[in-house]
Amino acid sequence: MLSLGLARVSEAAAIASARLIGRGDEKAADQAAVNAMREQLNLLDIKGVVVIGEGERDEAPMLYIGEEVGSGKGPEVDIALDPLEGTTLTAKDMPNALTVIAMGPRGTMLHAPDVYMDKLAIGPGFAPGLVDLDMSVAERVKALADAKGCGPEDIKVCVLERPRHEAMLNELREVGVQIRLITDGDVAGVIHCAESEKTGIDMYMGSGGAPEGVLAAAALKCMGGQIQGRLLFRNDDERGRAAAAGITDFNRKYSRDDMVTADVIFAATGVTDGSILAGLKRRGEYTETETILMRSRTGSVRRLQYRTRDA
């Protein structure tokens, strides 16, 4: 029942934010998703605490880190969420905008501060530790290509298009891989690796938000696959945020199971059309959404089609 409740939370956020698709207003789209997600979360019979959210309490009026959500009845749980993963994608009506939420027992998710994280991910079916953040770009590609029985030219790597990745992109091009650049949405970028036959993506690498790294780890814990992450700090203020979150080893390399240590439920709903989920559609007086709902304990992956009459 909690799984279905979580699906309703992500669906409500998608429906609310979809009214802002293509309107050019990122903040309004995000706020609409936040409002709807919070309202639905508070209907669930849980004692929830947001550990990955919209930011620190002084930065985010709702769904801030540490906020208590739910009815106050039921199990004590950690909540990791991104009410609208891809605010720019939504504002510009570009692919792969999602609403994302994960839930696990209290104390089982990394309290990642709002800093960058260096990430490396591949899909399921490979030996543990096949690729590693301490490998060079060429070594990562070669290891995966050897395991797949193909050449580097048959490997496709997903990378967030940012100036900070220019050197890494040059190395990837020297190796000869195919590269898919994405403008936003690195949770979706990592999830692509878990369904490589569908998406064509074999590996994800590069730096992005640490909170999104935890959400991506939750998804891969359900779908299978490997992810490593290492926090990156630009200044003492960011190190202070990490210390406040209880992190003592600033150079630690986190595996998937370090970031999400126990059973987790994960739900994501498409806002705009993408390679993982269909975006929201309006057909006459009805609105239709597609949600992926997963649980790590059983390895179950459900795709839910939801139709509701417009208010």
Side-chain angles (χ1 to χ4, degrees), residues 37-39 41-44 46-51 57 61-73 76-79 81 106:
M37 184 169 277
R38 185 173 186 261
E39 180 180 350
L41 264 175
N42 285 329
L43 296 177
L44 296 183
I46 56 173
K47 298 176 184 176
V49 174
V50 176
V51 298
R57 185 171 188 170
M62 291 194 297
L63 294 181
Y64 56 83
I65 297 169
E67 181 174 351
E68 296 182 1
V69 293
S71 69
K73 305 172 184 176
E76 296 186 349
V77 296
D78 282 351
I79 300 288
L81 54 84
R106 181 71 53 85

Side-chain angles (χ1 to χ4, degrees), residues 56 72 87 125 152 158 163 166 174 216 218 222-223 238 243 246 248 269:
E56 305 295 336
T87 54
C158 183
E166 185 176 347
E174 288 177 8
C222 298
M223 304 177 81
E238 291 188 348
T248 56
T269 301

Side-chain angles (χ1 to χ4, degrees), residues 110 231 233 239 241-252 254:
L110 175 67
L231 299 177
F233 303 102
R239 292 183 184 88
R241 289 188 198 178
I247 293 170
T248 56
D249 183 354
F250 291 171
N251 296 310
R252 180 174 176 180
Y254 294 92

Side-chain angles (χ1 to χ4, degrees), residues 4 6-19 21 36 97-99 267-274 276-283 285-293 302-310:
L4 292 175
L6 214 63
R8 287 196 294 272
V9 171
S10 65
E11 287 162 355
I15 291 169
S17 62
R19 302 180 189 280
I21 292 173
L98 307 171
T99 59
T269 301
V271 177
T272 58
D273 277 332
I276 300 170
L277 289 163
L280 182 141
K281 303 287 189 301
R282 288 196 168 86
R283 306 189 191 280
E285 62 179 322
Y286 292 96
T287 295
E288 297 178 358
T289 59
E290 184 181 27
T291 297
I292 189 168
L293 176 63
R302 296 182 175 93
R303 289 184 177 270
L304 308 177
Q305 302 290 334
Y306 174 61
R307 188 179 78 161
T308 184
R309 185 178 284 112
D310 291 337

Side-chain angles (χ1 to χ4, degrees), residues 194-209:
E195 295 189 320
S196 60
E197 291 184 3
K198 178 179 179 181
T199 65
I201 302 299
D202 300 293
M203 181 185 294
Y204 180 93
M205 68 173 75
S207 61

Side-chain angles (χ1 to χ4, degrees), residues 10-251:
S10 65
E11 287 162 355
I15 291 169
S17 62
R19 302 180 189 280
L20 281 300
I21 292 173
R23 307 293 183 183
D25 193 335
E26 299 177 15
K27 290 184 178 179
D30 188 53
Q31 191 61 57
V34 169
N35 293 344
M37 184 169 277
R38 185 173 186 261
E39 180 180 350
Q40 286 296 313
L41 264 175
N42 285 329
L43 296 177
L44 296 183
D45 283 334
I46 56 173
K47 298 176 184 176
V49 174
V50 176
V51 298
I52 299 292
E54 288 289 278
E56 305 295 336
R57 185 171 188 170
D58 58 348
E59 299 172 354
M62 291 194 297
L63 294 181
Y64 56 83
I65 297 169
E67 181 174 351
E68 296 182 1
V69 293
S71 69
K73 305 172 184 176
E76 296 186 349
V77 296
D78 282 351
I79 300 288
L81 54 84
D82 193 339
L84 185 56
E85 211 248 339
T87 54
T88 301
L89 300 178
T90 302
K92 295 182 177 181
D93 195 7
M94 297 172 67
N96 284 317
L98 307 171
T99 59
V100 182
I101 186 165
M103 180 171 65
R106 181 71 53 85
T108 61
M109 292 186 189
L110 175 67
H111 293 208
D114 189 13
V115 301
Y116 281 135
M117 175 184 278
D118 192 16
K119 305 170 193 175
L120 175 63
I122 58 175
F126 299 105
L130 177 71
V131 295
D132 192 281
L133 280 172
D134 293 328
M135 291 178 170
S136 68
V137 167
E139 287 171 337
R140 299 171 186 177
V141 173
K142 184 179 186 304
L144 183 58
D146 288 347
K148 288 176 66 71
C150 65
E153 68 277 3
D154 297 315
I155 298 295
K156 184 175 286 189
V157 181
C158 183
V159 179
L160 195 60
E161 188 174 19
R162 295 291 187 272
R164 63 181 180 269
H165 290 149
E166 185 176 347
M168 184 179 70
L169 288 170
N170 288 336
E171 291 182 66
L172 286 168
R173 291 187 176 109
E174 288 177 8
V175 175
V177 302
Q178 304 169 63
I179 301 171
R180 180 179 296 177
L181 292 171
I182 57 174
T183 57
D184 292 278
D186 62 345
V187 175
V190 172
I191 293 174
H192 277 75
C193 299
E195 295 189 320
S196 60
E197 291 184 3
K198 178 179 179 181
T199 65
I201 302 299
D202 300 293
M203 181 185 294
Y204 180 93
M205 68 173 75
S207 61
E212 288 82 358
V214 176
L215 280 163
L220 291 188
K221 196 172 182 76
C222 298
M223 304 177 81
Q226 303 174 35
I227 182 171
Q228 288 185 347
R230 181 182 282 130
L231 299 177
L232 302 173
F233 303 102
R234 294 173 294 182
N235 50 52
D236 288 339
D237 176 65
E238 291 188 348
R239 292 183 184 88
R241 289 188 198 178
I247 293 170
T248 56
D249 183 354
F250 291 171
N251 296 310

